[in-house]
């Protein structure tokens, strides 16, 4: 079984190397995937010293093209602890305190951090931006990435060096010096917040900000760099937890009965509905240029719902919202991991840790959305198992 750090501080040993690019732009595991072994970061030594940053990448800035206003952009706020591997530094902080931690960061500021679980996702966002700028040179409707960190400003030099080393385009930082970033997320009009801190993710969700907790895993499968793939669970992620409450409290038969009786009544929105909406808005810009079949954004619904028994309500809700989902997989309770391994998404969102762990076992980067009735059952399971 693949180990995954549920406390994002307690990450697995090993560094993640930069993922290879697959020329494939569909969900198939053929062509360039044939004969390739999955990359296992645990094969690399964590103690290996990274190469120092030797220079800074020059950037050409052309006004609003590169710095869109928050109200026009799709803003993705990413914690430094999920964009990069910072577990060694976290141990220094926990064992020796903040002053020694800051001293360590300054002493190593020319050594770039290794990529973390959100790194391939961010690279894919930037690849979409490149396509958008080709089609709409003056448009501000782009992904805008904000690096969010609890770090002191002294650590900013190392973060900047790391961003330049990995050739990322991230110009907006939010270094809070230990304070909560939630207020800043609202000011940025954030569409999605990814963090290793589950408590801060819950705070963001309570403020109406789409958010999810990310984890380190022992292995990551290769993902496409030419097409951003985002997969969503349905209930308590895109939709409210109304139907899931029926299932948890009254069982499967009552759930099917409830869905049949209410198939023409729309489900209420869930915490990630707005992010799917934002993705759809950017997709339509490619469709308008005749690039529907070559769109660099692809979305997936991967749900435990049954198609005939309870799928129609979900599909009717998405259609009524004006949202297109490129692929919909109704698994009727089957494990999600094998399907996600086939899709190879850059990120998968689910409200249940059971499914997040199952996806991680197959090498998928999965993010937990701590929302809805399932969180009550997750807590009860932890208490009963002594965790």
């Amino acid at each position: 079984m693949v180990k995954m750090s549920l406390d994002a501080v307690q990450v697995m040993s090993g560094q993640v190397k930069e993922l290879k690019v697959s020329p494939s732009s569909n969900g198939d595991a053929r062509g360039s995937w044939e004969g390739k072994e999955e990359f296992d970061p645990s094969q690399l030594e964590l103690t290996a010293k990274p190469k120092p940053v030797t220079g800074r990448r020059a950037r050409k800035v052309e006004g609003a093209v590169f710095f869109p206003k928050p109200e026009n952009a799709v803003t993705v706020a990413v914690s430094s602890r999920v964009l990069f591997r910072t577990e060694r530094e976290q141990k220094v902080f926990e064992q020796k305190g903040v002053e020694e931690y800051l001293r360590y960061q300054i002493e190593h500021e020319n050594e770039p951090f290794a990529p973390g679980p959100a790194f391939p996702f961010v690279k894919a966002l930037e690849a979409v931006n490149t396509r958008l700028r080709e089609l709409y040179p003056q448009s501000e409707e782009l992904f805008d990435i904000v690096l969010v960190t609890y770090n002191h400003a002294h650590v900013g030099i190392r973060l900047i060096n790391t961003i330049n080393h990995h050739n990322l385009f991230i110009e907006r930082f939010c270094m809070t010096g230990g304070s909560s970033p939630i207020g800043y997320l609202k000011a940025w009009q954030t569409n999605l917040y990814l963090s290793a801190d589950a408590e801060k993710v819950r705070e963001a969700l309570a403020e109406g900000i789409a958010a999810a907790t990310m984890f380190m895993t022992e292995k990551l499968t290769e993902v496409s760099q030419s097409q951003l793939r985002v997969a969503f669970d349905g209930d308590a992620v895109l939709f409210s937890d109304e139907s899931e409450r029926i299932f948890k409290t009254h069982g499967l038969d009552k759930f099917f009965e409830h869905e049949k009786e209410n198939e023409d009544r729309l489900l209420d929105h869930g915490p990630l509905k707005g992010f799917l909406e934002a993705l759809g808005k950017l997709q339509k810009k490619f469709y308008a240029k005749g690039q529907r079949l070559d769109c660099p954004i692809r979305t997936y619904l991967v749900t435990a719902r049954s198609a005939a028994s309870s799928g129609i309500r979900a599909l009717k809700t998405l259609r009524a919202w004006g949202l297109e989902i490129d692929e919909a997989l109704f698994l009727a309770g089957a494990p999600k991991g094998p399907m996600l391994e086939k899709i190879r998404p850059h990120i998968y969102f689910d409200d249940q840790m059971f499914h997040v762990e199952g996806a991680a076992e197959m090498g998928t980067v999965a993010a937990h959305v701590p929302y809805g009735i399932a969180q009550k059952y997750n807590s009860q399971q932890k208490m009963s198992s002594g965790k």
Side-chain angles (χ1 to χ4, degrees), residues 182-206:
I182 303 304
Y184 297 112
L185 296 179
K186 295 178 73 174
W188 284 115
Q189 301 184 35
T190 301
N191 297 92
L192 177 67
Y193 173 49
L194 299 174
S195 175
D197 189 329
E199 190 57 41
K200 290 297 180 287
V201 166
R202 282 189 282 269
E203 287 183 31
L205 290 170

Side-chain angles (χ1 to χ4, degrees), residues 234-236 239-252 254-260 262-263 265-268 303 305 310 313-314 317 351 373-374:
D235 295 291
F239 314 121
S240 73
D241 68 338
E242 168 206 326
S243 298
E244 194 160 338
R245 286 179 178 274
I246 299 295
F247 170 68
K248 293 290 188 184
T249 56
H250 300 290
L252 188 60
K254 189 66 175 178
F255 165 78
F256 286 145
E257 180 183 331
H258 176 266
E259 292 303 290
K260 183 65 177 177
N262 293 276
E263 68 177 33
R265 184 172 66 84
L266 301 184
L267 288 158
D268 198 1
T303 174
R305 282 176 175 254
S310 57
R313 189 180 183 197
T317 297
D351 66 307
I373 187 75

Side-chain angles (χ1 to χ4, degrees), residues 11-16 41-46 85 87 114 217:
V11 291
M12 300 298 104
S13 62
Q15 285 186 315
V16 181
S42 64
Q43 296 173 356
L44 296 178
E45 294 183 4
L46 183 61
R85 298 293 296 264
E87 55 267 35
T217 60

Side-chain angles (χ1 to χ4, degrees), residues 167-237:
N167 201 35
L168 296 173
F169 192 86
I170 302 176
E171 297 287 0
R172 288 176 166 150
F173 276 35
C174 185
M175 293 177 282
T176 67
S179 299
S180 173
I182 303 304
Y184 297 112
L185 296 179
K186 295 178 73 174
W188 284 115
Q189 301 184 35
T190 301
N191 297 92
L192 177 67
Y193 173 49
L194 299 174
S195 175
D197 189 329
E199 190 57 41
K200 290 297 180 287
V201 166
R202 282 189 282 269
E203 287 183 31
L205 290 170
E207 293 293 333
I209 300 168
T213 311
M214 298 190 76
F215 309 93
M216 298 293 183
T217 60
E218 278 190 338
K219 68 175 183 178
L220 294 174
T221 54
E222 294 177 352
V223 291
S224 173
Q225 197 179 29
S226 61
Q227 184 180 63
L228 169 66
R229 299 176 190 166
V230 184
F232 301 87
D233 181 28
D235 295 291
V237 175

